[in-house]
């Protein structure tokens, strides 16, 4: 598990922009099973999360008219139980952190896994998400 001193600013980067933290398996289940659209960002300490995933997610939600009903986040390697529970809802996708998931009525409709984040600029991540928002939100 990562020390809170390292994780806190990375969590704040999302919560300061309206993302609700999912800290328990129960919060994960109740949020994911809601009707409507939910953007789940599985945050991470890795460089691709800092360099492109977090900025790309924020760019997308701040630059589109169609937005998910719920913006939520959990931190891999810190919110362990919550992330493990979230991953149960993401089958058949393998565990990935970071990961950006759009769910509609509890079902995954769009997923950006780590291998799709690495080496891509934040603008590309944002454009991908905006297209998914326009399709599903």
């Amino acid at each position: 598990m990562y020390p809170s001193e390292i994780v806190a600013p990375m969590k704040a980067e999302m919560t300061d922009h309206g993302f609700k933290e999912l800290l328990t398996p129960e919060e994960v289940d109740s949020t994911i099973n809601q009707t409507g659209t939910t953007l789940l960002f599985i945050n991470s300490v890795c460089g691709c999360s800092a360099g492109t995933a977090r900025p790309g997610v924020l760019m997308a939600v701040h630059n589109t008219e169609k937005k998910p009903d719920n913006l939520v986040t959990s931190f891999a390697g810190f919110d362990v139980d919550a992330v493990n529970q979230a991953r149960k809802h993401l089958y058949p996708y393998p565990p990935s952190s970071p990961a950006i998931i759009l769910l509609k009525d509890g079902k995954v409709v769009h997923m950006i896994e780590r291998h799709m984040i690495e080496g891509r600029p934040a603008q590309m991540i944002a454009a991908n998400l905006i297209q998914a928002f326009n399709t599903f939100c």
Side-chain angles (χ1 to χ4, degrees):
M1 216 161 114
Y2 298 110
S4 61
E5 307 82 52
I6 292 174
V7 173
M10 296 178 211
K11 286 177 153 231
E13 187 174 358
M14 302 310 293
T15 58
D16 289 350
H17 290 275
F19 279 73
K20 177 187 171 209
E21 284 190 280
L22 301 180
L23 303 174
T24 68
E26 295 78 21
E27 289 176 331
V28 169
D29 288 341
S30 66
T31 300
I32 286 180
N33 290 322
Q34 291 180 13
T35 301
T37 52
T38 299
L39 181 65
L40 168 62
F41 175 53
I42 297 180
N43 206 342
S44 173
V45 298
C46 72
C48 64
S49 195
T52 59
R54 284 193 299 272
V57 168
L58 295 175
M59 209 179 294
V61 298
H62 292 303
N63 291 291
T64 186
E65 290 187 26
K66 290 188 172 186
K67 297 180 186 188
D69 300 313
N70 305 294
L71 302 173
V72 297
T73 186
S74 272
F75 207 102
F78 193 81
D79 304 321
V80 176
D81 294 337
V83 170
N84 287 340
Q85 187 65 23
R87 289 177 171 157
K88 292 177 184 178
H89 293 273
L90 306 179
Y91 183 82
Y93 293 97
S96 176
S97 58
I100 309 161
I101 306 98
L102 183 62
L103 301 108
K104 185 167 187 170
D105 300 332
K107 306 287 184 219
V108 175
V109 293
H110 190 74
M111 174 107 171
I112 302 175
E113 300 171 83
R114 179 186 181 107
H115 70 88
M116 301 163 80
I117 295 168
E118 292 175 312
R120 288 168 180 83
Q123 294 82 355
M124 186 178 283
I125 305 288
N128 182 304
L129 284 173
I130 289 170
Q131 185 176 28
F133 297 165
N134 287 333
T135 301
F136 298 106
C137 296

